[in-house]
Structure formats: structure tokens, C-alpha cells
Amino acid sequence: MLISFANTLDLRSGRELGRVVLIALSTILLTNCTQLEQPKVEPFYAVTVPPPKQELRWSNGKTPKSFDPARAAAAPETDIVRAAYEGLTDLDSKSLREIPGVAEKWEASGDLRTWTFHLRDDARWSNGERVTARDFVNSWTRLRDLGDKAANTYLFQNIIGMKSKANAEKQTGEPSDFIDQPVDETLPQDVQPLLEPGISPRSQLAAPTITDRESQKPATQNLTGKKAPAEPKFGVEAVDDLTLKVSLELPDKDFPKLVSNPIFRPVYGDGANFSQLQLDPAIVTNGAFQITGIGEDGITLDLSDNYWNRSAVGLERVRFVPAKSAESALELYKKGEVDVVTNAAFKPLALKLLAPYEDFRRTAHSALNFYEFNTANAPFSDRRVRVALAISIDRAKLTEDDLGGTNQPAYAFFPLGEHNKEILAFDIVKAKELLEIAGYADGIGFPPIQLVVNRNDIQQRIARSIARMWKQNLNIETDVIVVESSKIEDIGKSGEFDLLRRGAVLPTNDELVNIVSIFGSAKKVVEKSATPPITDPSILPENQKSILNNKVTIKGSLDSASKESIAGNREIILTMTEDDAIFELKAIPLYFPTAYSLVKPYIRGFETNGLDAPSLKEVSIDNNWQPKSTQGEQ
């Protein structure tokens, strides 16, 4: 029994010892795991004491080249112009809806072709003079006469009389890549070089480029001896000092949003001072802030004494601090020498470093990467084929794997606003069904796709991934053809492609103008007897489902001539919408680029929106802000 008791005691002791050892080992492991855990980061990348005054220090790139609104295409110029000038309207920087500026109210004609703006009586230039409707007429006349020297000329092409003297938007041939990437001059094994013109594997096709289709039309000779038609009357008229009337070629429901763009903001006098080589600090402006200093340390703007809504502006001063690189801007922010950083091309490593911090912001940029179809080239003239190719692309996988999660999948053409993602959602089953209906079951008989992209590492990687998806999902082969960026435009004009990689920046949330910037035209021709070749109503957007069974429902505002055309069974011209563009699908939207910024936690009202258009009139500084830890909060 003693032996038995001793054995039992030994067993119990062993169990107790094992338990102690287990607890000890668990403690050691937990301690080591705790030590191995990533340290909790502070909530903000750089916490600094807020400035004692209402002075915003903003790093938005290098020193601007001009203060001229007509030449303001992107930051930093657009930021300066928005601060120093005010247009007919402005945008609420959070909702991006149009709000009153110099114009306190406006209205449109029934057909949306004539807009009348009523200017406020107390709008003043910084020298105290009154802002009148004539200032806008003179400024927009100057904008027209600048032609291709103006920024984004397609923005004002719909105004009657402005297209006649302004050159159409000229493309440089450089597609917008939106991401700084080294150029890889070597061609991967699955990428073919483009053959010289005349010996391309496909015959020459007369497909005009999407950016300027109207200019591709041959000129018509005047063989009748009659006088050429007179140029249209200039569609910008000062009815009186406080009333401006604008006439448009096509109806535009979003025109008040469009004229908030910096290029439409008025300049004082004839704008001759913008021809100087150096920036002029004495320039007369009409915005909330007036330029008061230019130096190596940046550009200073002070709240204007003559601004009509001065009492509602929180900031007293804005300093634009130049930075030569994203790294130098980040260092300025870290040291507390600037409060906001925008327009900085952060490297992928820096983005990963900044991602956990609350003062780091990501915003879908109003720009689009897409593949343009050559619809003159069979089988891409068949809409069912175009839809099949579009919905067989897994955009989520594309942006995550090939773009490192730094961009957003595009299920529509515009990044702003709500969209029905189901229309272009990844759906292999439906893609195969559409391809079979089009006569290419399991991809049999489908010719190899000639996909042309510019020589850029990311674009080549994306093209190869999409080619693999088309092969795996639809059994379709793709020849990825890489060319120099400077040749993209020429290839678009020649038609030597099936799909062509494109990029577009959309500096406005005007639907009509954005359609033009992507497709070259916003005109939609409709015939009473037209019957769209639709076999599957489920792939239609809601506003198109009535166009079935030989019926055409015309939506939108029509003038009397258009109504007469319908009655007489003649073709009519309407304006295309984004829903129309998705329905016709003459291009495949791929992804929206992302913009990044850093904003100190004591800054209030600085909205980083898709148009890169923060309004400094809405910004203020919480001078009493303190980190939560110093306020006794855990």
C-alpha cells in the first residue's frame, strides 16, 4: 500500500509538475508572442502643435508656373486659382454639388441649351472694382482665342461660338498612366512588337480616334459658288451688368457644375500681365484670397478685404510650400512645417508605411484607364462580344494583384457618384452565353485579339493578366502588342488594333463633357424605326429596357424640331449619358487611379475629393486641438 501510495503521490506530483511546466511555458510563449507582435502605431503619422493663427501651410507640389485660370489644368496651378479666383459657381467640396459663387442664382431653358446666370451685386475684384457679366464675356472670349494654349479646351467646346476658333483638344500621344513606373524596354515573350505601317497582320481600317472624330471628317468643297456659312454667334452674352446668358450646342443638365472649373473663372482686364515670364504678386483677383507674396519658401495668400463673403471664411492666410519630391513633402509634414500634403507621388513602400495612420487619406481620382474597341472591326462590331469580353475580366483581382491594391476597379466610366456594378460585374457564365449567341461557342472561330498598349511596365502586366483571363474564361487568344507611347494616337487613327489602351483625366463632374473626353463625342443619333440588336434584356441598364420589340422610347428634353423629326421618321440627335455609354460599351473601363494625401488632425473642412478640388473657403484650424492622450483619454 505504501508503494501504491508512493506511486500515486509520484503520479500526482508529476501531474502538478507538468502543470507548472505547462504554465511556465505558456507564460514564456505569451511573452515572446507579445514581443513579436507589431507595435501599435500612433493614430497620426506626425502629431504637431496646431499653429496659433488661422494659417494653413499646404504642400501641393512644385512652384506653380502661372496664375492664369485659362491655363490651369492640374495642381498646383488649379489650387492657386481656386483660392484666388471665384467663378460663376463653385463646388461643395464634400458633395461636389454646384453652389453659388459670383452668380447667386441661375436657370435653364426647357431644352437645357440656354443658361442664364444672375450675378450678385456685391462681388468685387481685389482692387475694389465691381465684377460684372462683361468680365466673364471678355475672359471667355480670351479663353476661346487662346485655342490650344488654354487648358482642357474640350471643356468649352459645347458653348456656341467657342469651338469655331478654338482648336480641338490635341493629344500628345502619351496615355495617362497615373503611376510613376520605370519603362521596361525589353519585350516579354508573350508580347509582340508592332509591325511597320503597311505590313500589319490586319488590313488598314478607317477608324478615327475617339478623341477627335469630328476633325477626321473630310472637308467639303464649296462647288456652288455660294458664300460659306457664317460662323455662329458667340454664345456668351452680357444682358446687363449682372446678367450673363450662355447658349450651348447640345443640352447640358450639368452646366453649372462645369463652369466651376478653374478655366471658366474671370480675369481682370485683358489678361496681358499673364504673358510675363515671372509670377506677378500684384495681380488683381476676385476670390476669397489675394496673392500677397512670392518667394523661395512659397506663395502667400491673405484673406481678401473685398471678398463678398469674407466673414464666412475661417482662414486668414494660406501658404503654398513647394516640395521637389514626395519624399521632401513627407519630411516637411513629419517635421510639422506643413499641415497638408497633396499632389505627391508616394512610392509603394511609403504607401504601406502611411496606410495605418488616421491622417493619411485615399481618394478615387477622377480619371479612367480603359480599353477602346475598334467597332469597325468584326467581331467587335457585335455588342454581345464586347459585353462578353468586358464581364470576363476580374477587375478586383486585377487591381489587387497587378496594381497592389492602389487603384479601384471600374464598373462604370466615371468614378464619382453611385453606379450599378452588376452590369459590368465579373460573370463568366453570362460571358460564355453571350459569346455562344454571337456564334463563338467556347471561343471556337474567334480570331486572336490584337491588343495594343503603350510601353509601360504596369500596362504590360495588366495586358498579360487580361489576356490570361480571356484565355481561361472564354478560350480566346490575345496578341499583346507593345508600342511607344508617342505612337498610340497614330495607331488609333489608322485602325491598326482591335483594342487600344487609353487613359483619360476627367477634371469635371459634368456628364456630357466627360463623355466627350472619353469617346470624342456626346451625340447620340436615334431613329424612330431603329431596332437595337438585343437578345438579352437582363444585360441592359434600367433606362434602356424599354428599347425592345421594335419600340423606341425617347427620354430627356427635346425641342420642337426634334419632336418634328420623330413624327417625320427622321433621325434625331440627343446627348449620350453614362448609362448609354455602358449600354453601347465601345470601351471597357478597367480601373480608377487613387490619389493620396496627408491632413493634420487639427485641420477642419479640408475635403479630398475625386476632382482634387478642395475649397479653402470651407477650411479652418482648430487652434485648441490636442492629442487624446494629453486630454486624459485612453
Side-chain angles (χ1 to χ4, degrees):
M1 182 176 288
L2 288 176
I3 294 174
S4 177
F5 177 78
N7 289 339
T8 302
L9 182 62
D10 289 342
L11 181 60
R12 288 177 178 175
S13 299
R15 287 175 180 173
E16 292 297 328
L17 179 62
R19 188 177 300 163
V20 171
V21 171
L22 181 61
I23 292 173
L25 287 174
S26 298
T27 303
I28 294 171
L29 288 172
L30 285 172
T31 302
N32 288 339
C33 287
T34 302
Q35 292 175 348
L36 291 174
E37 285 180 357
Q38 291 288 338
K40 292 184 178 180
V41 298
E42 294 294 329
F44 307 110
Y45 178 71
V47 177
T48 53
V49 178
K53 299 180 179 180
Q54 289 292 320
E55 178 180 342
L56 178 72
R57 301 161 298 173
W58 181 3
S59 172
N60 65 339
K62 300 179 181 179
T63 301
K65 297 179 181 179
S66 171
F67 295 150
D68 187 354
R71 292 182 170 90
E77 286 79 11
T78 49
D79 294 327
I80 297 279
V81 168
R82 286 192 181 95
Y85 297 87
E86 185 169 72
L88 291 170
T89 62
D90 208 339
L91 293 179
D92 177 273
S93 58
K94 189 171 185 177
S95 67
L96 293 179
R97 294 176 180 171
E98 66 274 23
I99 57 176
V102 174
E104 56 185 355
K105 60 182 180 179
W106 51 87
E107 69 268 354
S109 59
D111 62 0
L112 298 176
R113 284 188 171 96
T114 303
W115 287 85
T116 303
F117 296 86
H118 302 277
L119 279 57
R120 59 183 71 254
D121 184 56
D122 54 352
R124 295 290 185 270
W125 293 99
S126 55
N127 62 3
E129 294 183 22
R130 190 185 192 188
V131 180
T132 69
R134 174 55 57 184
D135 291 320
F136 284 92
V137 174
N138 294 339
S139 297
W140 292 11
T141 301
R142 173 178 176 266
L143 181 65
R144 175 199 65 186
D145 294 342
L146 281 172
D148 61 355
K149 294 180 181 179
N152 299 324
T153 60
Y154 64 90
L155 294 181
F156 55 81
Q157 297 297 298
N158 192 37
I159 299 174
I160 290 176
M162 292 193 76
K163 187 175 182 179
S164 59
K165 290 189 177 181
N167 295 331
E169 177 75 355
K170 292 186 177 180
Q171 300 292 324
T172 62
E174 296 284 344
S176 300
D177 290 308
F178 312 111
I179 303 175
D180 292 333
Q181 287 291 326
V183 175
D184 184 6
E185 295 295 339
T186 61
L187 295 178
Q189 293 182 355
D190 57 342
V191 178
Q192 300 179 5
L194 184 68
L195 300 179
E196 292 296 323
I199 54 173
S200 173
R202 293 290 180 92
S203 61
Q204 295 281 335
L205 293 171
T209 174
I210 63 171
T211 56
D212 193 14
R213 288 191 179 93
E214 294 299 324
S215 64
Q216 301 291 323
K217 296 179 180 179
T220 304
Q221 288 184 321
N222 184 3
L223 302 179
T224 63
K226 297 181 179 179
K227 292 182 178 180
E231 290 186 358
K233 181 182 178 182
F234 190 49
V236 186
E237 177 187 355
V239 178
D240 54 44
D241 283 351
L242 299 179
T243 308
L244 183 75
K245 186 169 72 173
V246 185
S247 301
L248 309 177
E249 293 185 2
L250 293 175
D252 186 359
K253 63 181 176 59
D254 296 326
F255 190 68
K257 294 179 181 178
L258 176 65
V259 294
S260 69
N261 187 276
I263 69 167
F264 293 102
R265 306 202 175 192
V267 298
Y268 183 76
D270 60 4
N273 50 349
F274 293 121
S275 61
Q276 300 178 15
L277 296 179
Q278 295 182 338
L279 297 174
D280 182 8
I283 192 168
V284 177
T285 60
N286 75 317
F289 297 90
Q290 180 181 358
I291 299 169
T292 55
I294 301 174
E296 294 182 359
D297 60 343
I299 297 172
T300 302
L301 288 77
D302 288 326
L303 182 59
S304 176
D305 292 333
N306 293 310
Y307 181 58
W308 65 269
N309 201 23
R310 187 180 193 279
S311 61
V313 180
L315 293 175
E316 298 172 355
R317 171 170 290 183
V318 180
R319 283 204 305 115
F320 289 94
V321 182
K324 294 181 180 179
S325 64
E327 291 75 19
S328 59
L330 194 60
E331 185 66 19
L332 290 171
Y333 186 84
K334 183 72 173 178
K335 291 180 178 179
E337 296 179 15
V338 297
D339 309 302
V340 175
V341 174
T342 61
N343 193 34
F346 293 118
K347 301 297 182 183
L349 185 60
L351 294 176
K352 291 181 179 180
L353 170 69
L354 295 169
Y357 296 103
E358 294 180 18
D359 50 342
F360 177 65
R361 302 182 183 181
R362 306 166 184 257
T363 309
H365 186 52
S366 188
L368 173 70
N369 273 274
F370 62 99
Y371 284 166
E372 173 197 353
F373 279 110
N374 185 349
T375 55
N377 199 5
F380 309 101
S381 54
D382 190 327
R383 180 184 175 279
R384 297 165 299 188
V385 169
R386 300 197 298 270
V387 173
L389 291 173
I391 65 176
S392 60
I393 296 174
D394 188 346
R395 292 167 177 78
K397 180 179 177 62
L398 194 72
T399 53
E400 186 63 33
D401 294 351
D402 293 292
L403 297 170
T406 59
N407 295 266
Q408 297 186 17
Y411 299 98
F413 289 104
F414 307 150
L416 306 178
E418 298 295 328
H419 300 98
N420 183 1
K421 295 183 179 180
E422 295 181 2
I423 297 175
L424 295 181
F426 181 51
D427 192 333
I428 298 177
V429 174
K430 181 168 286 187
K432 288 182 176 180
E433 291 176 355
L434 288 172
L435 204 63
E436 183 175 356
I437 294 172
Y440 300 99
D442 197 29
I444 297 175
F446 201 98
I449 298 172
Q450 303 289 313
L451 171 59
V452 180
V453 302
N454 55 300
R455 191 183 299 279
N456 172 280
D457 287 351
I458 286 183
Q459 296 310 326
Q460 293 180 48
R461 191 185 319 142
I462 291 171
R464 293 195 295 271
S465 293
I466 291 176
R468 284 193 294 269
M469 291 179 188
W470 285 337
K471 177 61 178 176
Q472 294 170 3
N473 300 333
L474 300 178
N475 193 33
I476 292 176
E477 299 289 343
T478 303
D479 296 330
V480 179
I481 301 171
V482 178
V483 300
E484 300 299 332
S485 295
S486 58
K487 294 184 178 180
I488 287 287
E489 200 63 27
D490 292 336
I491 292 170
K493 293 176 181 178
S494 70
E496 290 295 328
F497 69 95
D498 294 329
L499 281 155
L500 182 65
R501 187 262 157 178
R502 294 281 195 179
V505 178
L506 311 172
T508 176
N509 54 346
D510 182 304
E511 185 176 45
L512 181 146
V513 172
N514 284 341
I515 288 288
V516 173
S517 67
I518 295 174
F519 298 101
S521 174
K523 294 180 180 179
K524 179 179 63 174
V525 177
V526 180
E527 294 179 337
K528 183 180 178 183
S529 59
T531 306
I534 302 169
T535 57
D536 181 9
S538 66
I539 64 176
L540 298 178
E542 289 298 325
N543 74 327
Q544 294 285 353
K545 288 186 178 180
S546 59
I547 309 182
L548 293 170
N549 302 323
N550 297 330
K551 297 179 181 179
V552 176
T553 300
I554 306 299
K555 297 192 175 186
S557 301
L558 300 177
D559 56 20
S560 57
S562 296
K563 292 177 181 177
E564 182 182 350
S565 296
I566 297 176
N569 199 29
R570 297 195 304 270
E571 72 175 21
I572 63 171
I573 296 177
L574 300 177
T575 52
M576 183 184 295
T577 65
E578 184 183 16
D579 286 338
D580 295 328
I582 293 174
F583 171 71
E584 294 182 7
L585 209 66
K586 294 184 178 180
I588 302 177
L590 296 176
Y591 64 90
F592 302 123
T594 303
Y596 305 94
S597 58
L598 286 161
V599 182
K600 291 290 177 67
Y602 49 77
I603 301 298
R604 301 286 181 261
F606 191 98
E607 297 291 341
T608 50
N609 52 58
L611 290 178
D612 192 22
S615 174
L616 294 182
K617 292 181 290 188
E618 304 169 5
V619 177
S620 63
I621 297 174
D622 183 354
N623 303 115
N624 298 317
W625 179 89
Q626 292 181 353
K628 290 182 179 181
S629 59
T630 65
Q631 298 172 347
E633 297 181 24
Q634 298 298 325

